[in-house]
Amino acid sequence: MQVVFLNTFEKPGGEDGPAREAQLSICEQNGVWSVIWTDADGPGEGGQSTWYEGGSWEEMMTAFRHGIAVQMGEGFSPLIDGMLEERRSVNAGTAQYAMIQCYGEIYGNAELFNALRDWRRAKAASIKKSAYLVATNRMLWMISAYVPLQPEELMQIPGWGEAKQAAYGADVLAITGAFERETSFPLDWVADKLDPKVYTKWVFKQKENKYKTQLDRQQEKRDLLRAIAEGKSIEELQAEIELPRRDLMERLEKLDLDGYDLEPLIEKELASMPASEQQLVWDALQSMGDRYLRPVLHQVYGEDAEQSKGKAVDLLYDRLRLIRLRYRRSGGNRVS
């Protein structure tokens, strides 16, 4: 086994005790990558734990970075730093933005947050939007921590721009107006108030969550490809992967874009759709473009298709997506 990367980590000892030392290595043997963490005081045989073992460089690097974020969040510092550096440089403005988010999540007012969340749920339902498009949980926590009472104060919450102010500002201020606050605007005091150790731990937790999401997505991709190779239908895929139908179709589109062969799945799903109907969809894609599917649906099935077809319209959209995969793969230049 060849060691291609090795780094040493240290964690300060408590009560002036000796520092705790660990090593992180990336090894390769016959095309198989391994990420190994060795900590004499940690769990595992000889204090050794394997974060990743497999043939994917991308998955190996994600597991590598996720593990580093976890350990650095626990207080370990690497001898060679920079393993989690983002391509985009972190300037003073970016750091201030992150500190405001951190303070908001740590010191948010739970009662105000719940009131804002109830408002968001009702608002999203009334305008038929996803709740996170109205406001994310992080934004609601920040509002609950800083309690803006004036429009110009609300505008200082990171991510709350002119569009949200115009659409929801009055509603939010009506809720915050019923609560008292102990802090003030502008928020330039946050950097001095926030404990550096708390902030550092929070930063690494964000990185940990980011890489954990990537790891979960990679596992999901493996499960999806395996199920497709086994000849499972979209209904069976949805039950196994436990994704909303629309999200599953988006994952399939991404796999097709990445070059994976989905034709057996497409053939199976379209087997009950008459060839003449498929040709109408193909012709509509050629004449109307493939960016939006609603105009294609209307041209093939009529302007009132979404009302008259009821729940069956979801199946129609699935079929349109699958035919669009074929259409895009061919460049739209041949008859289906």
Side-chain angles (χ1 to χ4, degrees), residues 235-317:
E235 288 286 348
E236 291 170 325
L237 291 178
Q238 187 179 10
E240 182 163 330
I241 307 300
E242 297 183 347
L243 280 174
R245 187 84 170 196
R246 183 179 181 85
D247 291 346
L248 173 60
M249 296 304 294
E250 289 176 354
R251 301 289 199 279
L252 293 176
E253 290 176 335
K254 180 64 168 60
L255 288 177
D256 185 79
L257 189 63
D258 289 342
Y260 292 95
D261 182 17
L262 301 187
E263 186 55 34
L265 174 65
I266 296 174
E267 186 72 29
K268 181 175 184 175
E269 291 295 323
L270 297 181
S272 62
M273 185 179 185
S276 58
E277 187 178 344
Q278 294 185 43
Q279 187 64 54
L280 289 174
V281 174
W282 192 279
D283 293 341
L285 289 168
Q286 286 186 315
S287 65
M288 310 189 73
D290 63 1
R291 184 174 183 183
Y292 300 110
L293 289 178
R294 177 172 286 180
V296 174
L297 179 79
H298 290 172
Q299 178 163 317
V300 175
Y301 300 103
E303 293 288 338
D304 63 342
E306 289 166 296
Q307 287 74 37
S308 62
K309 299 291 184 180
K311 290 185 177 181
V313 74
D314 293 334
L315 176 60
L316 294 181
Y317 270 118

Coordinates of all heavy atoms in Angstrom, one line a residue, residues 235-317:
E235 N -41.5 3.7 -10.1 CA -42.3 3.6 -8.9 C -41.4 2.8 -7.9 O -41.4 3.2 -6.7 CB -43.5 2.8 -9.2 CG -44.6 3.5 -9.9 CD -45.3 4.6 -9.1 OE1 -45.1 4.5 -7.8 OE2 -46.0 5.4 -9.6
E236 N -40.7 1.8 -8.3 CA -39.9 1.0 -7.4 C -38.6 1.8 -6.9 O -38.2 1.7 -5.8 CB -39.4 -0.3 -8.1 CG -40.6 -1.3 -8.3 CD -40.2 -2.4 -9.2 OE1 -39.3 -2.2 -10.2 OE2 -40.7 -3.5 -9.0
L237 N -38.1 2.6 -7.8 CA -37.0 3.5 -7.5 C -37.4 4.5 -6.4 O -36.7 4.7 -5.4 CB -36.5 4.3 -8.7 CG -35.8 3.5 -9.8 CD1 -35.4 4.4 -10.9 CD2 -34.5 2.8 -9.3
Q238 N -38.6 5.0 -6.6 CA -39.1 6.0 -5.6 C -39.3 5.4 -4.2 O -38.9 6.0 -3.2 CB -40.4 6.6 -6.1 CG -40.9 7.8 -5.2 CD -42.2 8.4 -5.7 OE1 -42.8 7.9 -6.6 NE2 -42.6 9.5 -5.1
A239 N -39.8 4.2 -4.2 CA -40.0 3.5 -2.9 C -38.7 3.2 -2.3 O -38.5 3.2 -1.0 CB -40.8 2.2 -3.1
E240 N -37.7 2.8 -3.1 CA -36.4 2.4 -2.5 C -35.5 3.5 -2.1 O -34.9 3.5 -1.0 CB -35.7 1.5 -3.5 CG -34.3 1.0 -3.0 CD -33.8 -0.2 -3.9 OE1 -34.6 -0.9 -4.4 OE2 -32.6 -0.3 -3.9
I241 N -35.5 4.6 -2.9 CA -34.6 5.7 -2.6 C -35.3 6.7 -1.7 O -34.6 7.5 -1.0 CB -34.2 6.4 -3.9 CG1 -33.6 5.4 -4.9 CG2 -33.2 7.5 -3.6 CD1 -32.4 4.7 -4.4
E242 N -36.6 6.6 -1.6 CA -37.4 7.5 -0.7 C -37.2 9.0 -1.0 O -36.9 9.8 -0.2 CB -37.1 7.2 0.8 CG -37.4 5.8 1.2 CD -37.1 5.6 2.7 OE1 -36.5 6.4 3.3 OE2 -37.6 4.5 3.2
L243 N -37.4 9.3 -2.3 CA -37.4 10.7 -2.8 C -38.7 11.1 -3.3 O -39.5 10.3 -3.9 CB -36.4 10.8 -3.9 CG -34.9 10.9 -3.5 CD1 -34.0 10.9 -4.8 CD2 -34.6 12.2 -2.7
P244 N -39.1 12.4 -3.1 CA -40.3 12.8 -3.8 C -40.2 12.6 -5.3 O -39.1 12.6 -5.9 CB -40.3 14.3 -3.5 CG -39.5 14.5 -2.2 CD -38.5 13.4 -2.3
R245 N -41.3 12.4 -6.0 CA -41.2 12.0 -7.4 C -40.5 13.0 -8.3 O -39.6 12.7 -9.1 CB -42.7 11.9 -8.0 CG -42.8 11.4 -9.4 CD -42.8 9.9 -9.4 NE -43.2 9.4 -10.7 CZ -43.5 8.1 -10.9 NH1 -43.6 7.3 -9.9 NH2 -43.8 7.7 -12.2
R246 N -40.7 14.3 -8.0 CA -40.0 15.3 -8.8 C -38.5 15.3 -8.6 O -37.7 15.4 -9.5 CB -40.6 16.7 -8.5 CG -40.0 17.8 -9.3 CD -40.6 19.2 -9.0 NE -40.1 20.2 -9.8 CZ -40.5 20.6 -11.0 NH1 -41.5 19.9 -11.5 NH2 -39.9 21.6 -11.7
D247 N -38.1 15.1 -7.3 CA -36.7 15.1 -7.0 C -36.0 13.9 -7.7 O -34.9 13.9 -8.2 CB -36.5 15.0 -5.5 CG -36.8 16.3 -4.8 OD1 -37.0 17.3 -5.5 OD2 -36.9 16.3 -3.6
L248 N -36.8 12.7 -7.7 CA -36.2 11.5 -8.4 C -36.0 11.8 -9.9 O -35.0 11.4 -10.4 CB -37.2 10.4 -8.2 CG -36.8 9.1 -8.9 CD1 -35.5 8.6 -8.5 CD2 -37.9 8.0 -8.7
M249 N -37.0 12.4 -10.5 CA -36.8 12.7 -11.9 C -35.7 13.6 -12.2 O -34.9 13.5 -13.2 CB -38.1 13.3 -12.5 CG -39.3 12.4 -12.4 SD -39.1 10.8 -13.2 CE -38.9 11.3 -14.9
E250 N -35.4 14.6 -11.3 CA -34.3 15.5 -11.5 C -33.0 14.7 -11.3 O -32.0 15.0 -12.0 CB -34.4 16.6 -10.4 CG -35.5 17.6 -10.8 CD -35.6 18.7 -9.7 OE1 -34.9 18.6 -8.6 OE2 -36.4 19.6 -9.9
R251 N -32.9 13.7 -10.4 CA -31.7 12.9 -10.2 C -31.5 12.1 -11.5 O -30.3 12.0 -11.9 CB -31.9 11.9 -9.0 CG -32.2 12.6 -7.7 CD -30.9 13.3 -7.1 NE -31.1 13.5 -5.7 CZ -31.8 14.5 -5.1 NH1 -32.4 15.4 -5.9 NH2 -31.8 14.6 -3.8
L252 N -32.5 11.6 -12.1 CA -32.4 10.8 -13.3 C -31.9 11.7 -14.5 O -31.0 11.3 -15.2 CB -33.7 10.2 -13.7 CG -34.3 9.1 -12.8 CD1 -35.6 8.6 -13.2 CD2 -33.3 7.9 -12.7
E253 N -32.4 12.9 -14.5 CA -31.9 13.8 -15.6 C -30.4 14.1 -15.4 O -29.6 14.2 -16.3 CB -32.7 15.1 -15.5 CG -34.1 14.9 -16.0 CD -35.0 16.2 -15.9 OE1 -34.6 17.0 -15.1 OE2 -35.9 16.3 -16.7
K254 N -30.0 14.3 -14.1 CA -28.6 14.5 -13.8 C -27.7 13.3 -14.2 O -26.6 13.5 -14.8 CB -28.4 14.8 -12.3 CG -27.0 15.1 -11.9 CD -26.4 16.4 -12.6 CE -25.1 16.9 -11.9 NZ -24.0 15.9 -12.0
L255 N -28.2 12.1 -13.9 CA -27.4 10.9 -14.3 C -27.3 10.8 -15.8 O -26.2 10.5 -16.3 CB -28.1 9.7 -13.8 CG -28.1 9.4 -12.3 CD1 -28.9 8.2 -11.9 CD2 -26.7 9.3 -11.8
D256 N -28.3 11.2 -16.5 CA -28.3 11.1 -18.0 C -27.3 12.2 -18.5 O -26.5 11.9 -19.4 CB -29.6 11.4 -18.6 CG -29.7 11.3 -20.1 OD1 -29.7 10.1 -20.6 OD2 -29.6 12.3 -20.8
L257 N -27.3 13.3 -17.9 CA -26.3 14.4 -18.3 C -24.9 14.0 -18.0 O -24.0 14.4 -18.8 CB -26.7 15.7 -17.5 CG -25.9 17.0 -17.9 CD1 -26.3 17.3 -19.3 CD2 -26.3 18.1 -17.0
D258 N -24.7 13.2 -17.0 CA -23.4 12.7 -16.6 C -22.9 11.5 -17.5 O -21.8 11.1 -17.3 CB -23.3 12.3 -15.1 CG -23.4 13.5 -14.2 OD1 -23.2 14.6 -14.7 OD2 -23.7 13.3 -13.0
G259 N -23.8 11.1 -18.4 CA -23.4 10.1 -19.3 C -23.8 8.6 -19.0 O -23.4 7.7 -19.7
Y260 N -24.6 8.5 -17.9 CA -25.0 7.1 -17.6 C -26.2 6.7 -18.6 O -27.0 7.5 -19.0 CB -25.5 7.1 -16.2 CG -24.4 7.2 -15.2 CD1 -24.1 8.5 -14.6 CD2 -23.6 6.1 -14.8 CE1 -23.1 8.6 -13.7 CE2 -22.6 6.3 -13.9 CZ -22.3 7.6 -13.3 OH -21.3 7.7 -12.4
D261 N -26.2 5.4 -18.9 CA -27.2 4.9 -19.8 C -28.5 4.6 -19.1 O -28.6 3.6 -18.4 CB -26.6 3.6 -20.5 CG -27.6 3.0 -21.5 OD1 -28.5 3.8 -22.0 OD2 -27.5 1.9 -21.9
L262 N -29.5 5.4 -19.4 CA -30.8 5.3 -18.8 C -31.8 4.7 -19.8 O -33.0 4.6 -19.5 CB -31.3 6.6 -18.2 CG -30.5 7.3 -17.2 CD1 -31.2 8.5 -16.6 CD2 -30.1 6.3 -16.0
E263 N -31.4 4.4 -21.0 CA -32.3 4.0 -22.1 C -33.1 2.7 -21.7 O -34.4 2.7 -21.9 CB -31.5 3.7 -23.4 CG -32.4 3.4 -24.6 CD -33.5 4.5 -24.8 OE1 -33.2 5.6 -24.6 OE2 -34.6 4.1 -25.2
P264 N -32.6 1.7 -21.0 CA -33.4 0.6 -20.6 C -34.6 1.1 -19.6 O -35.7 0.6 -19.8 CB -32.5 -0.3 -19.8 CG -31.1 0.0 -20.4 CD -31.2 1.4 -20.7
L265 N -34.3 2.0 -18.7 CA -35.4 2.5 -17.9 C -36.4 3.3 -18.7 O -37.6 3.1 -18.5 CB -34.7 3.4 -16.8 CG -35.7 4.1 -15.9 CD1 -36.5 3.1 -15.0 CD2 -35.0 5.1 -15.0
I266 N -35.9 4.1 -19.6 CA -36.8 4.9 -20.4 C -37.7 4.0 -21.2 O -38.9 4.2 -21.3 CB -36.0 5.9 -21.3 CG1 -35.2 6.9 -20.4 CG2 -36.9 6.6 -22.3 CD1 -34.3 7.8 -21.2
E267 N -37.1 3.0 -21.9 CA -37.9 2.1 -22.7 C -39.0 1.4 -21.9 O -40.1 1.2 -22.4 CB -36.9 1.0 -23.3 CG -37.5 0.1 -24.3 CD -37.9 0.8 -25.6 OE1 -37.2 1.8 -26.0 OE2 -38.8 0.4 -26.3
K268 N -38.6 1.0 -20.7 CA -39.6 0.3 -19.8 C -40.7 1.2 -19.4 O -41.9 0.8 -19.5 CB -38.9 -0.2 -18.6 CG -39.7 -1.0 -17.6 CD -38.9 -1.5 -16.5 CE -39.8 -2.4 -15.5 NZ -39.0 -3.1 -14.5
E269 N -40.4 2.5 -19.1 CA -41.4 3.4 -18.6 C -42.4 3.9 -19.8 O -43.5 4.2 -19.5 CB -40.8 4.6 -18.0 CG -40.1 4.3 -16.7 CD -41.0 3.9 -15.6 OE1 -42.2 4.4 -15.5 OE2 -40.7 3.0 -14.8
L270 N -41.8 3.9 -21.0 CA -42.6 4.4 -22.1 C -43.3 3.2 -22.9 O -43.9 3.5 -23.9 CB -41.8 5.2 -23.1 CG -41.2 6.5 -22.5 CD1 -40.3 7.2 -23.5 CD2 -42.3 7.4 -21.9
A271 N -43.1 2.0 -22.4 CA -43.6 0.8 -23.2 C -45.1 0.9 -23.4 O -45.6 0.5 -24.5 CB -43.3 -0.5 -22.5
S272 N -45.9 1.5 -22.5 CA -47.3 1.6 -22.6 C -47.8 2.8 -23.3 O -49.0 3.0 -23.5 CB -48.0 1.5 -21.2 OG -47.6 2.6 -20.4
M273 N -46.9 3.7 -23.7 CA -47.2 5.0 -24.4 C -47.2 4.7 -25.9 O -46.1 4.4 -26.4 CB -46.3 6.1 -23.9 CG -46.6 7.4 -24.5 SD -45.4 8.7 -23.9 CE -46.1 10.2 -24.5
P274 N -48.3 4.9 -26.6 CA -48.3 4.7 -28.0 C -47.2 5.5 -28.8 O -46.9 6.6 -28.4 CB -49.7 5.2 -28.5 CG -50.5 5.1 -27.2 CD -49.6 5.4 -26.1
A275 N -46.6 4.9 -29.8 CA -45.6 5.5 -30.6 C -46.0 6.8 -31.2 O -45.3 7.8 -31.3 CB -45.0 4.6 -31.6
S276 N -47.3 6.9 -31.6 CA -47.8 8.1 -32.2 C -47.9 9.2 -31.2 O -47.6 10.4 -31.5 CB -49.2 7.8 -32.7 OG -50.1 7.4 -31.7
E277 N -48.2 8.9 -29.9 CA -48.2 9.9 -28.9 C -46.8 10.4 -28.6 O -46.6 11.6 -28.4 CB -48.9 9.3 -27.6 CG -49.1 10.3 -26.5 CD -49.8 9.7 -25.3 OE1 -50.4 8.6 -25.5 OE2 -49.8 10.3 -24.2
Q278 N -45.9 9.5 -28.5 CA -44.5 9.9 -28.3 C -44.0 10.8 -29.4 O -43.3 11.7 -29.2 CB -43.6 8.6 -28.2 CG -43.8 7.7 -27.0 CD -42.9 6.6 -26.9 OE1 -41.7 6.8 -27.2 NE2 -43.4 5.4 -26.6
Q279 N -44.4 10.5 -30.7 CA -44.0 11.3 -31.8 C -44.6 12.8 -31.7 O -43.9 13.7 -32.0 CB -44.5 10.7 -33.1 CG -43.9 11.4 -34.4 CD -42.4 11.4 -34.4 OE1 -41.9 10.3 -34.4 NE2 -41.8 12.5 -34.6
L280 N -45.8 12.9 -31.2 CA -46.4 14.2 -30.9 C -45.6 15.0 -29.9 O -45.3 16.2 -30.1 CB -47.8 14.1 -30.5 CG -48.9 13.6 -31.5 CD1 -50.2 13.4 -30.8 CD2 -49.0 14.6 -32.6
V281 N -45.1 14.3 -28.9 CA -44.3 15.0 -27.9 C -42.9 15.4 -28.5 O -42.5 16.6 -28.3 CB -44.0 14.1 -26.7 CG1 -43.0 14.7 -25.7 CG2 -45.3 13.8 -26.0
W282 N -42.4 14.5 -29.3 CA -41.1 14.8 -30.0 C -41.2 16.0 -30.9 O -40.4 17.0 -30.9 CB -40.6 13.6 -30.8 CG -39.2 13.7 -31.3 CD1 -38.8 14.4 -32.4 CD2 -38.1 13.1 -30.7 NE1 -37.4 14.2 -32.5 CE2 -36.9 13.4 -31.5 CE3 -37.9 12.3 -29.5 CZ2 -35.7 13.0 -31.2 CZ3 -36.6 11.9 -29.3 CH2 -35.5 12.2 -30.1
D283 N -42.3 16.1 -31.7 CA -42.5 17.2 -32.6 C -42.7 18.5 -31.8 O -42.3 19.6 -32.3 CB -43.8 16.9 -33.5 CG -43.5 15.7 -34.4 OD1 -42.4 15.4 -34.7 OD2 -44.5 15.2 -34.9
A284 N -43.4 18.4 -30.7 CA -43.6 19.6 -29.9 C -42.3 20.1 -29.3 O -42.1 21.3 -29.2 CB -44.6 19.3 -28.7
L285 N -41.4 19.2 -28.9 CA -40.1 19.6 -28.4 C -39.3 20.3 -29.5 O -38.6 21.3 -29.3 CB -39.3 18.4 -27.9 CG -39.8 17.8 -26.6 CD1 -39.2 16.5 -26.3 CD2 -39.6 18.8 -25.4
Q286 N -39.4 19.8 -30.7 CA -38.7 20.4 -31.9 C -39.2 21.8 -32.2 O -38.5 22.7 -32.5 CB -38.8 19.5 -33.1 CG -37.9 18.3 -33.0 CD -37.9 17.5 -34.3 OE1 -39.0 17.2 -34.9 NE2 -36.7 17.0 -34.7
S287 N -40.5 22.0 -32.1 CA -41.1 23.2 -32.5 C -41.1 24.3 -31.4 O -41.1 25.5 -31.6 CB -42.6 23.0 -32.9 OG -43.4 22.6 -31.9
M288 N -41.2 23.8 -30.1 CA -41.3 24.8 -29.0 C -40.0 24.9 -28.1 O -40.0 25.7 -27.2 CB -42.5 24.4 -28.1 CG -43.8 24.2 -28.9 SD -45.2 24.0 -27.9 CE -45.5 25.6 -27.3
G289 N -39.1 24.0 -28.3 CA -37.9 24.0 -27.5 C -38.1 23.0 -26.3 O -39.2 22.7 -26.0
D290 N -37.0 22.7 -25.7 CA -37.1 21.7 -24.6 C -36.8 22.3 -23.2 O -36.6 21.5 -22.2 CB -36.1 20.6 -24.8 CG -34.6 21.1 -24.8 OD1 -34.4 22.3 -24.6 OD2 -33.7 20.3 -25.1
R291 N -36.8 23.6 -23.0 CA -36.5 24.2 -21.7 C -37.7 24.0 -20.8 O -37.5 23.6 -19.6 CB -36.1 25.6 -21.9 CG -35.7 26.3 -20.5 CD -35.2 27.7 -20.7 NE -34.8 28.2 -19.4 CZ -34.4 29.5 -19.3 NH1 -34.3 30.3 -20.3 NH2 -34.0 29.9 -18.1
Y292 N -38.9 24.3 -21.3 CA -40.1 24.2 -20.4 C -41.0 23.2 -20.9 O -41.3 23.1 -22.2 CB -40.8 25.6 -20.4 CG -39.9 26.7 -19.8 CD1 -39.5 27.7 -20.7 CD2 -39.6 26.8 -18.5 CE1 -38.7 28.8 -20.2 CE2 -38.8 27.8 -18.0 CZ -38.3 28.8 -18.9 OH -37.6 29.8 -18.4
L293 N -41.6 22.4 -20.0 CA -42.5 21.3 -20.4 C -43.9 21.6 -20.5 O -44.7 21.0 -21.1 CB -42.2 20.1 -19.5 CG -40.9 19.4 -19.6 CD1 -40.8 18.2 -18.6 CD2 -40.7 18.8 -21.1
R294 N -44.3 22.7 -19.8 CA -45.7 23.0 -19.7 C -46.3 23.4 -21.1 O -47.3 22.9 -21.5 CB -46.0 24.2 -18.8 CG -47.5 24.6 -18.8 CD -47.8 25.6 -17.7 NE -47.8 25.0 -16.4 CZ -48.0 25.7 -15.2 NH1 -48.2 27.0 -15.3 NH2 -48.0 25.0 -14.1
P295 N -45.6 24.2 -21.9 CA -46.0 24.5 -23.3 C -46.1 23.2 -24.1 O -47.1 23.1 -25.0 CB -45.0 25.4 -23.9 CG -44.4 26.1 -22.7 CD -44.3 25.0 -21.6
V296 N -45.2 22.3 -23.9 CA -45.3 21.0 -24.7 C -46.5 20.2 -24.2 O -47.2 19.6 -25.1 CB -44.0 20.2 -24.4 CG1 -44.1 18.8 -25.0 CG2 -42.8 20.9 -24.9
L297 N -46.8 20.2 -22.9 CA -47.9 19.5 -22.4 C -49.2 20.0 -23.0 O -50.1 19.3 -23.5 CB -48.0 19.6 -20.9 CG -49.2 19.0 -20.2 CD1 -49.0 17.4 -20.1 CD2 -49.4 19.5 -18.8
H298 N -49.3 21.4 -23.1 CA -50.5 22.0 -23.6 C -50.6 21.7 -25.1 O -51.8 21.5 -25.6 CB -50.4 23.5 -23.4 CG -50.6 23.9 -21.9 ND1 -50.4 25.2 -21.4 CD2 -50.9 23.1 -20.8 CE1 -50.6 25.2 -20.1 NE2 -50.9 24.0 -19.7
Q299 N -49.6 21.7 -25.8 CA -49.7 21.5 -27.3 C -50.1 20.1 -27.6 O -50.9 19.8 -28.5 CB -48.3 21.8 -28.0 CG -48.4 21.5 -29.5 CD -47.2 22.1 -30.2 OE1 -46.9 23.3 -30.0 NE2 -46.6 21.4 -31.2
V300 N -49.6 19.1 -26.8 CA -49.9 17.7 -27.1 C -51.3 17.3 -26.5 O -52.1 16.6 -27.2 CB -48.8 16.8 -26.5 CG1 -49.2 15.3 -26.7 CG2 -47.5 17.1 -27.2
Y301 N -51.6 17.8 -25.3 CA -52.8 17.3 -24.6 C -53.9 18.3 -24.4 O -54.9 18.1 -23.8 CB -52.4 16.7 -23.2 CG -51.4 15.6 -23.3 CD1 -50.1 15.8 -23.1 CD2 -51.9 14.3 -23.7 CE1 -49.2 14.7 -23.2 CE2 -51.0 13.2 -23.8 CZ -49.6 13.5 -23.6 OH -48.7 12.4 -23.7
G302 N -53.6 19.6 -24.8 CA -54.6 20.6 -24.7 C -54.3 21.6 -23.6 O -53.6 21.3 -22.6
E303 N -54.9 22.8 -23.7 CA -54.6 23.9 -22.7 C -55.1 23.6 -21.3 O -54.6 24.1 -20.3 CB -55.3 25.2 -23.2 CG -54.6 25.8 -24.5 CD -53.2 26.4 -24.2 OE1 -53.0 26.7 -23.0 OE2 -52.4 26.5 -25.2
D304 N -56.2 22.7 -21.3 CA -56.8 22.4 -20.0 C -56.3 21.1 -19.4 O -56.9 20.5 -18.5 CB -58.3 22.4 -20.1 CG -58.8 21.3 -21.0 OD1 -58.0 20.8 -21.8 OD2 -60.0 21.0 -20.9
A305 N -55.2 20.6 -19.9 CA -54.7 19.3 -19.5 C -54.5 19.1 -18.0 O -54.8 18.1 -17.4 CB -53.4 18.9 -20.3
E306 N -53.9 20.2 -17.4 CA -53.6 20.1 -16.0 C -54.9 20.1 -15.1 O -54.8 19.6 -14.0 CB -52.7 21.3 -15.6 CG -51.3 21.1 -16.1 CD -50.5 22.4 -16.1 OE1 -50.9 23.4 -16.7 OE2 -49.5 22.4 -15.3
Q307 N -56.0 20.6 -15.6 CA -57.2 20.5 -14.9 C -58.0 19.2 -15.2 O -58.5 18.5 -14.3 CB -58.1 21.7 -15.2 CG -57.7 23.0 -14.6 CD -56.5 23.6 -15.3 OE1 -56.3 23.5 -16.5 NE2 -55.6 24.2 -14.5
S308 N -58.0 18.8 -16.5 CA -58.9 17.7 -16.9 C -58.2 16.4 -16.6 O -58.9 15.4 -16.4 CB -59.1 17.8 -18.4 OG -57.9 17.7 -19.1
K309 N -56.9 16.3 -16.5 CA -56.2 15.0 -16.3 C -56.1 14.6 -14.8 O -55.8 13.5 -14.5 CB -54.8 15.0 -16.9 CG -54.8 15.3 -18.4 CD -55.4 14.1 -19.2 CE -55.2 14.3 -20.7 NZ -55.8 13.2 -21.5
G310 N -56.3 15.6 -13.9 CA -56.2 15.3 -12.5 C -54.8 14.8 -12.1 O -53.8 15.3 -12.6
K311 N -54.8 13.8 -11.3 CA -53.5 13.2 -10.9 C -52.7 12.6 -12.0 O -51.4 12.5 -11.9 CB -53.7 12.2 -9.8 CG -54.2 12.8 -8.4 CD -54.3 11.7 -7.4 CE -54.7 12.4 -6.0 NZ -54.8 11.3 -4.9
A312 N -53.3 12.2 -13.1 CA -52.6 11.6 -14.2 C -51.7 12.6 -14.9 O -50.8 12.2 -15.6 CB -53.7 11.1 -15.2
V313 N -51.8 13.9 -14.6 CA -50.9 14.8 -15.2 C -49.5 14.7 -14.7 O -48.5 14.9 -15.4 CB -51.4 16.3 -15.0 CG1 -51.1 16.7 -13.5 CG2 -50.7 17.3 -15.9
D314 N -49.3 14.1 -13.5 CA -48.0 13.9 -13.0 C -47.3 12.8 -13.8 O -46.1 12.9 -14.1 CB -48.0 13.4 -11.5 CG -48.5 14.5 -10.6 OD1 -48.3 15.7 -11.0 OD2 -49.1 14.2 -9.5
L315 N -48.1 11.8 -14.2 CA -47.5 10.7 -15.1 C -47.1 11.3 -16.5 O -46.1 10.9 -17.0 CB -48.5 9.6 -15.3 CG -48.1 8.5 -16.2 CD1 -46.9 7.8 -15.8 CD2 -49.3 7.5 -16.3
L316 N -48.0 12.2 -17.0 CA -47.7 12.8 -18.3 C -46.4 13.6 -18.2 O -45.6 13.5 -19.1 CB -48.8 13.7 -18.7 CG -50.2 13.1 -19.0 CD1 -51.2 14.1 -19.4 CD2 -50.0 12.0 -20.1
Y317 N -46.2 14.4 -17.1 CA -45.0 15.1 -17.0 C -43.7 14.2 -16.9 O -42.7 14.5 -17.4 CB -45.0 16.0 -15.8 CG -45.6 17.4 -16.1 CD1 -46.7 17.9 -15.5 CD2 -44.9 18.3 -16.9 CE1 -47.3 19.1 -15.7 CE2 -45.4 19.5 -17.2 CZ -46.6 20.0 -16.6 OH -47.1 21.2 -16.9

